[in-house]
Amino acid sequence: MDETVAEFIKRTILKITMNELITILKAWDFLSESQLQTINFRQRKESVVQHLVRLCEEKHASLNDAALLDIIYTQFHQQQKVWDVFQMSKGPGEDVDLFDIKQFKNSFKKILQRALKNVTVSFRETKENAVWIRIAWGTQYTKPNQYKPTYVVYYSQTPYAFMSSSRLRRHAPLLGQALTVASKHHQIVKMDLRSRYLDSLKAIVFKQYQTFETHNSTTPLQERNLGLDINMDSRIIHENIVEKERVQQITQETFGDYPQPQLEFAQYKLETKFKSDLNRSILAEREEPLRCLIKFSSPHLLEALKSLAPADPQKEAKGNYTHSKLFRRIMKLVHSKDRVESIVLLLQELAYLVSQLYKIIF
């Protein structure tokens, strides 16, 4: 076994915690059960790693075997990567072709290796009809860097692929070309969705977000959403209880009564014109529409938007944004001393976008 392969395997195993080491090694399926039984997993991790590397040397592990171990580790720790979504499309009149995994692998690898002298490509299939692809990039004069790879997850018979964010942006067009040709599509575009949670992105693009529902509660809305207790003291008075019920009802109808997919980043391209009764309205006199890119980020974006949803769409359309925390903050800015017209109007437009973002995503 080559020294670089041995070092690659060693560094990969060192990343794995002792609690999940046996599980990952069994999923790797490179070492036999009898070989694993010779290892004392209760000793120091350095000794365990040395023993595992010796076993791999005895079996003459290849670079592809080491890459498969790294893919499995990444599958167990998907949240350590930031994933972008890409959507492919076929040409006019083209039918959906049967997926041939062998042909897909050969075509994908051939396109990359024709364009780049030094590149290694590894594949691993899963039971969910997904193909995990690991690409280690090199240059004309240097070998592939196995410690800064790009990961691609492609679901067969679908137009979607998920790609880990990489600093090597110069390889993005080539990678897109390899995906479209190998999967027999016509073109590929990057969607405005990004998250560390691959399952949530999959649920969004495949319209599977209702499967996130963990229960179907039959508890009355008043008791479930407002946190009311049936046996609570009747002397306690709840202010605006009718208004709160209506807010919760609208929110539940829009977002559903189940946990939302965990999305962290989203962006929306806005093209709009402004109207204003203020004198010397620069933006209102502008003939060309105002174009801007609004980016949203949060540890749990959809749940955050769910909590900020406006209570009454009709009032919201009339400019009354006082029914959510975000809108109240915007109104404070509007009435502050710094009353720059462009900021005021843009904030009002942003308030509307926040209330509509959920519909845009789905």
Side-chain angles (χ1 to χ4, degrees):
M1 184 173 67
D2 189 83
E3 291 183 1
T4 56
V5 177
E7 180 65 19
F8 184 19
I9 292 176
K10 177 182 177 181
R11 292 176 64 171
T12 303
I13 296 176
L14 284 173
K15 294 189 297 183
I16 306 172
T17 63
M18 293 299 293
N19 294 333
E20 61 186 10
L21 182 57
I22 297 179
T23 304
I24 291 180
L25 289 175
K26 288 183 177 180
W28 188 27
D29 198 25
F30 179 73
L31 300 175
S32 65
E33 187 69 28
S34 59
Q35 288 177 314
L36 292 178
Q37 290 177 356
T38 63
I39 304 173
N40 181 12
F41 288 96
R42 295 183 179 180
Q43 59 184 335
R44 295 179 59 184
K45 188 173 183 179
E46 290 77 5
S47 301
V48 175
V49 172
Q50 291 177 2
H51 194 169
L52 287 170
V53 172
R54 285 198 301 269
L55 291 176
C56 292
E57 288 177 346
E58 293 174 2
K59 291 199 67 174
H60 305 287
S62 64
L63 180 60
N64 187 64
D65 294 324
L68 286 177
L69 177 61
D70 187 57
I71 291 177
I72 295 171
Y73 172 81
T74 304
Q75 290 176 327
F76 274 76
H77 298 276
Q78 302 173 7
Q79 70 278 7
Q80 292 182 357
K81 306 292 181 181
V82 178
W83 300 93
D84 293 306
V85 185
F86 290 80
Q87 183 177 23
M88 295 174 285
S89 60
K90 290 184 174 292
E94 292 185 7
D95 297 327
V96 178
D97 299 312
L98 294 177
F99 183 74
D100 187 335
I101 182 62
K102 185 177 181 180
Q103 183 180 7
F104 174 84
K105 291 179 179 180
N106 291 336
S107 178
F108 187 93
K109 184 181 292 187
K110 188 179 296 184
I111 292 173
L112 292 184
Q113 291 179 342
R114 281 179 180 176
L116 296 174
K117 181 180 179 180
N118 292 315
V119 61
T120 57
V121 185
S122 304
F123 303 89
R124 186 172 190 267
E125 304 169 45
T126 67
K127 296 179 180 180
E128 299 177 346
N129 294 325
V131 182
W132 280 70
I133 312 171
R134 182 185 185 275
I135 308 101
W137 307 97
T139 65
Q140 186 177 356
Y141 307 102
T142 60
K143 293 183 179 180
N145 187 345
Q146 299 297 333
Y147 304 106
K148 293 184 179 180
T150 301
Y151 298 90
V152 178
V153 184
Y154 171 65
Y155 286 84
S156 61
Q157 300 295 98
T158 75
Y160 297 104
F162 307 87
M163 190 183 305
S164 65
S165 298
S166 173
R167 297 179 181 178
L168 302 176
R169 297 182 180 180
R170 63 181 181 273
H171 296 314
L174 178 61
L175 196 53
Q177 179 186 357
L179 271 174
T180 52
V181 174
S183 61
K184 298 181 181 180
H185 284 85
H186 183 67
Q187 66 179 34
I188 184 171
V189 294
K190 183 179 179 181
M191 300 179 66
D192 296 330
L193 296 174
R194 186 189 302 172
S195 178
R196 295 183 183 274
Y197 299 91
L198 189 58
D199 289 339
S200 293
L201 290 175
K202 175 188 170 184
I204 290 174
V205 298
F206 293 156
K207 305 296 183 182
Q208 296 175 338
Y209 41 88
Q210 289 187 357
T211 61
F212 278 70
E213 185 173 5
T214 57
H215 66 282
N216 183 14
S217 177
T218 57
T219 308
L221 178 66
Q222 179 179 355
E223 300 171 10
R224 178 170 70 252
N225 289 337
L226 300 182
L228 303 182
D229 186 357
I230 298 176
N231 300 319
M232 70 184 304
D233 193 334
S234 60
R235 293 172 296 180
I236 298 177
I237 299 175
H238 291 268
E239 296 182 357
N240 302 325
I241 187 170
V242 176
E243 178 70 10
K244 290 180 180 179
E245 284 185 16
R246 189 173 60 83
V247 170
Q248 295 293 342
Q249 180 67 41
I250 294 176
T251 302
Q252 180 178 325
E253 290 175 357
T254 303
F255 292 89
D257 189 23
Y258 44 83
Q260 302 299 308
Q262 195 154 352
L263 183 66
E264 293 181 291
F265 307 95
Q267 63 183 28
Y268 179 66
K269 295 179 180 179
L270 171 65
E271 180 174 321
T272 186
K273 290 186 177 182
F274 292 102
K275 296 181 181 180
S276 176
D277 296 331
L278 301 177
N279 295 329
R280 298 179 182 179
S281 175
I282 299 175
L283 294 178
E285 295 175 356
R286 179 186 173 97
E287 294 183 0
E288 289 293 325
L290 179 67
R291 298 178 179 90
C292 61
L293 182 66
I294 299 178
K295 296 183 178 182
F296 300 86
S297 63
S298 170
H300 203 323
L301 182 58
L302 295 183
E303 285 291 346
L305 294 178
K306 181 178 178 180
S307 66
L308 296 175
D312 192 336
Q314 295 181 353
K315 292 183 179 181
E316 173 226 331
K318 296 178 182 178
N320 185 350
Y321 306 110
T322 59
H323 292 283
S324 78
K325 299 176 183 178
L326 176 64
F327 298 147
R328 285 198 296 269
R329 292 180 180 178
I330 290 175
M331 293 308 293
K332 289 181 180 179
L333 288 173
V334 170
H335 294 290
S336 64
K337 296 180 180 179
D338 186 13
R339 300 186 63 183
V340 182
E341 179 191 7
S342 59
I343 296 178
V344 172
L345 296 175
L346 187 57
L347 286 172
Q348 291 178 349
E349 190 71 17
L350 176 59
Y352 177 77
L353 287 175
V354 170
S355 66
Q356 297 296 316
L357 180 62
Y358 187 85
K359 297 179 180 179
I360 294 170
I361 293 176
F362 294 102

